[in-house]
Amino acid sequence: MKKLVYLFLSVLVASCIGGVVPKPDSAAPKDSDSVPTIVNIVDTTTVEDTTKMALTPQQADSLMFRLTHHYSENFNFLVKADSLTLIPREGDLMIDTCRVYRGDVVAVAAIKIVPGDSIDSVWVKVASNQYNMGWISEHDLLRGATPDDIISEMLDALSGSRAIWMSALLVLGILAVVVGKKQVRKQQILHFFDEMNSCYPFLFLLLTAIMATLYASVQNFVPEFWQEYYYHPTLNPLVLPPIMAALVVTTWLVIITFIALTDEVYHHFYFIPGVTYLAKLVGVAMFVYLLVSWSTLFYVGYPLVAVLAYHLLRQAWHVIRQDA
């Protein structure tokens, strides 16, 4: 299951993710209430009467913060930076600054919005245990930590190294096209698919293009859905909004199709030619992904995917008829 999770996240292209990060103030907020134990930090106040529809102003503010920032008290972060400095407040057990280090899990104990010069500054109190606790600006926290979830960690890692691996795959795709044109005197970009009589390469490219369209649509119209997914990820499409569910389902279809494609390559090629073929196909798929996702931001990707789908499905149908 863990391998499937990593494979899922390697296909799902991540972009710059994070909550709203206001400009931090230079000083931490003051609060005279002491927090003696980690238990008191994690256990927040709940609504006494759950049947009441009215919310107190504090509860309404907490709910609004959860909707706009996608996390709240009790949320766990995993420190990814070498260290984070936590500033104490008046009444804290610790009177000096303390640090949490890479790999530490910290829980959100409290959230304060401190009026700044022009905008509000968000400060978050986190704790790794009952002795290591303190305040840190939301900007520094989100830059130096990720949600404590394996999917969120992988999305953050892919986002951080996106320029490297996407550029590498793009170059691979360009080389595949150039080498293919030199080997076979045809004008079609996808002519090298003639090397294997199978419909899976066409389906793989089509699903990749659809996945790129869905991802770009999310970023273009409802980016808050992607941010919510980053903080609260799941592989179950049934609990997601329709467009996010479609994106997850398409990603699973890409994975299944690639597995079937790998099996086809195994039966049609020797090892080295098979690896070369898969490398060329993945490179072209990345080229298609980048082209479609970028053009979708300007609404050109939708007709482009329709034209691509027509040609790919026609080629796949031609291969199926030949096999029959």
Side-chain angles (χ1 to χ4, degrees):
M1 181 63 184
K2 189 173 181 181
K3 293 182 178 179
L4 285 178
V5 171
Y6 278 99
L7 183 57
F8 164 78
L9 294 168
S10 65
V11 177
L12 186 58
V13 176
S15 63
C16 297
I17 307 167
V20 179
V21 184
K23 181 180 178 180
D25 284 342
S26 58
K30 295 182 179 180
D31 191 344
S32 58
D33 296 333
S34 61
V35 183
T37 64
I38 189 66
V39 176
N40 292 334
I41 291 176
V42 177
D43 294 337
T44 57
T45 304
T46 59
V47 181
E48 295 180 359
D49 187 1
T50 57
T51 62
K52 294 182 180 180
M53 297 299 296
L55 298 176
T56 65
Q58 182 178 3
Q59 292 169 343
D61 292 341
S62 178
L63 178 61
M64 183 58 64
F65 185 90
R66 165 63 181 82
L67 293 176
T68 56
H69 292 242
H70 308 284
Y71 70 92
S72 59
E73 294 182 9
N74 293 339
F75 192 85
N76 291 335
F77 284 96
L78 178 69
V79 179
K80 67 175 182 179
D82 292 336
S83 65
L84 295 177
T85 301
L86 306 181
I87 304 174
R89 64 178 183 180
E90 293 182 1
D92 278 346
L93 295 178
M94 305 297 294
I95 60 175
D96 296 326
T97 60
C98 61
R99 290 180 177 272
V100 289
Y101 299 93
R102 182 191 299 271
D104 290 344
V105 177
V106 295
V108 175
I111 300 170
K112 293 285 186 180
I113 300 179
V114 181
D117 296 334
S118 57
I119 60 175
D120 290 338
S121 297
V122 179
W123 284 78
V124 183
K125 183 177 183 180
V126 297
S128 60
N129 53 52
Q130 61 183 0
Y131 302 108
N132 288 345
M133 63 183 71
W135 294 88
I136 185 173
S137 67
E138 184 188 52
H139 177 271
D140 293 337
L141 175 64
L142 298 183
R143 186 175 59 181
T146 63
D148 185 25
D149 187 279
I150 183 174
I151 300 179
S152 299
E153 295 169 26
M154 288 298 298
L155 290 175
D156 182 79
L158 289 173
S159 177
S161 59
R162 189 176 82 171
I164 298 176
W165 62 266
M166 290 184 77
S167 299
L169 291 179
L170 179 59
V171 171
L172 184 62
I174 296 175
L175 290 177
V177 174
V178 172
V179 172
K181 284 186 176 181
K182 289 183 177 181
Q183 291 179 347
V184 181
R185 294 183 178 179
K186 292 183 179 181
Q187 298 300 322
Q188 297 91 339
I189 287 181
L190 306 179
H191 63 76
F192 70 89
F193 288 154
D194 295 336
E195 298 175 18
M196 184 177 69
N197 190 28
S198 173
C199 64
Y200 288 116
F202 305 102
L203 295 179
F204 177 70
L205 271 187
L206 176 60
L207 290 171
T208 301
I210 295 175
M211 183 177 63
T213 305
L214 291 172
Y215 176 76
S217 299
V218 171
Q219 296 293 336
N220 206 21
F221 299 109
V222 282
E224 63 275 9
F225 282 7
W226 184 256
Q227 293 181 349
E228 178 69 16
Y229 187 84
Y230 171 66
Y231 284 94
H232 305 276
T234 177
L235 299 181
N236 181 11
L238 300 179
V239 298
L240 295 172
I243 189 170
M244 289 300 301
L247 178 60
V248 171
V249 169
T250 305
T251 304
W252 279 115
L253 291 177
V254 169
I255 295 173
I256 295 172
T257 304
F258 186 78
I259 293 175
L261 172 64
T262 304
D263 183 69
E264 285 284 301
V265 170
Y266 174 77
H267 289 92
H268 283 79
F269 296 96
Y270 291 108
F271 179 76
I272 298 299
V275 171
T276 303
Y277 183 86
L278 286 177
K280 291 193 296 183
L281 180 60
V282 171
V284 173
M286 179 54 60
F287 176 80
V288 170
Y289 184 95
L290 293 175
L291 177 62
V292 171
S293 60
W294 177 80
S295 59
T296 301
L297 298 177
F298 303 98
Y299 308 103
V300 181
Y302 300 107
L304 180 62
V305 169
V307 173
L308 182 63
Y310 170 76
H311 288 285
L312 289 176
L313 290 176
R314 188 177 66 174
Q315 293 294 330
W317 176 249
H318 178 69
V319 171
I320 293 175
R321 290 186 60 184
Q322 283 185 338
D323 292 340

